[in-house]
Amino acid sequence: MVVKKSCYPRWNEVFEFDLDESFNEKLIIEVWDWDLVSKNDFLGKVMINLNGLQQDLQEEGWFRLSPGKSKASVDEGNLGSLQLQVRVRDETVLPSDYYKPLVQLLCQEVKASHKEKSGHLITLIDETTSAECRQEVAANLGKIFLGQGLAKEFLDLLFRLELDKTNEPNTLFRSNSLASKSMESFLKVAGTQYLHSVVGPTINRIFEEKKYIELDPSKVEIKEAGCSGLHRIQTESEIILQSAQHLQSYLTELLIAIAKSVKICPVTIRATFRQLYKRVEERFPENKHMNVKFIAVTSFLCLRFFSPAIMSPKLFHLREKHADARTSRTLLLLAKAVQNVGNMDAPASRAKESWMAPLQPTIQQGVSQLKEFIIKLIDIEEKEELDLQKSLNLQSLTVKEGPLMVYKTKCKGYLLTSSFKKLFLSLTVDALSFAKTQFSKKSSFIPLSRIRALEKVEEKSFGNSNVMQIIYTDENGGLEALYLQCKCVNELNQWLSALRKVCVNNSNMLGSYHPGVYKGEKWSCCHQKDKAVAGCDKTRHEVTLQEWNDLLNPDLEAQLIFRHLIGVRELMREKYLELTIHDKSSKSDLTADPARKDSTTQLFQILKDLEVAHDSFLADSPNFADQEKKYLLEV
């Protein structure tokens, strides 16, 4: 990954590597100074012994760069440091049948709570999940229920549990509770395309215009703003006035996009916000709290979805690269304005940053627009929801799309960069399709089941280091190659990772490939003349980027929840006994509510059965995973 124009780069990326049971290898991370014209300069490397890492425990800190062979040993200790988070996690996933009892129990609990206003197991999980792992647990549970078609019911249960514990409406959903984290994860998974449609145009405009914008007088830099005329430097007040005008333009454009986005908002999101609005209105019906139901919606939509995407567009795939310092400041100011609108222009927000006052007219107008938008957003009937839900297949959502330069080997002649043709690619969980433009009819597609390898192409093949290849079988079973040229290494890694993830369950994947191309009667990499000869380098199907919008993988999500519940099992027992004692002290007959005892007993038994299955399954099934446990390295 390359970060340009920075002596203090921040990558903010997560990589995953599959490991076998021994994992005796060393993790080596090299840092280079990228040069456009001359050779890249080696800056240092970090080596980590993987067998020294404790399973499921995250190690975080600054690791000193050590010199390579080309650097003198005297440089050691003076090369700088690299901040890393490293964790090895057991990733042995059993067949689906083993996880069915756990998933079914969780689903039964959510369904029952929807009818009987209970939810003992989810309460138990909520109260025993620490803040450190709440984000991961929320994401895993959210994906399980999303895959089971129960995302709205699951979130509705969490809303009710949190509302029962809340007496002060001003703090509602502001903490990092399981409800807040689950809703946040749900929006990221189900609302990616919606987010891009609403926020994307304004973000792109800010990146393209690169204007200097500052409202805080203590941070205004005259030299950054340039001159307003040939002989006069702009004053501080002129810079702030001009900045306010630019920000008002951006904010107005964004608010109009939000107001017009009701029909393109996914039905599951609309239905979930309807439930949230309804529950909050029931809990705080007084006139003095009339804004609370709106703020509950905007606390997620604006504060936890739109604003984070505005501040960090690369993390939400809105941009290929992180913003520079000037653009980052503009994005931050816009995000603050959106937060103020989401807070319904609360006096506390105005008092905190009084220098945002020039935006007040636009913010106040935005509050009215947002209220009208929310009323339209939640205006969805049960029948309409069911009809729309039938036409919405979450598993066929677009995983990734965008324009790329494409070259197919079926074309005649030498492989040259000029032979690439610009097409619009769309990747789903079923196929990779091609069209002339985003709105054109699809001209061709490759079923993912036919893909056999996804790898990078060496730079000398096309004179470009950002080319990848897709090796797939044609209708007759013969191997063909498709080459994709990306704009930069970041885009290359994103496409490569996305394709590898959707093909993770493909059978007959190749163990080797040619990093070069076949031209001039031979392979450019190994110079073999036989086009069908086995590859000269091993494939790397297991190397991917980790993203919050990973595809639904029910078995993996169930495995991760199982591992979490095993870790907090004793704490859950203690909490269960505590609740039981509380029931007795309240003179309530526990047998009058056998659901809690029954579901909790079932959960502990299921965890015990799964634990036994993990210990015995691999030994009893020699054909499964080559009798090896699988581990995942997260960096």
Side-chain angles (χ1 to χ4, degrees), residues 257-274:
I258 293 173
K260 292 181 177 179
S261 69
V262 172
K263 291 185 178 180
I264 63 171
C265 184
V267 61
T268 49
I269 293 179
R270 292 183 64 186
T272 302
F273 277 132
R274 181 193 63 203

Side-chain angles (χ1 to χ4, degrees), residues 482-494:
L482 179 78
Y483 298 96
L484 306 180
Q485 180 178 309
C486 303
K487 296 178 183 177
C488 61
V489 66
N490 292 337
E491 184 180 56
L492 172 69
N493 286 330
Q494 289 168 10

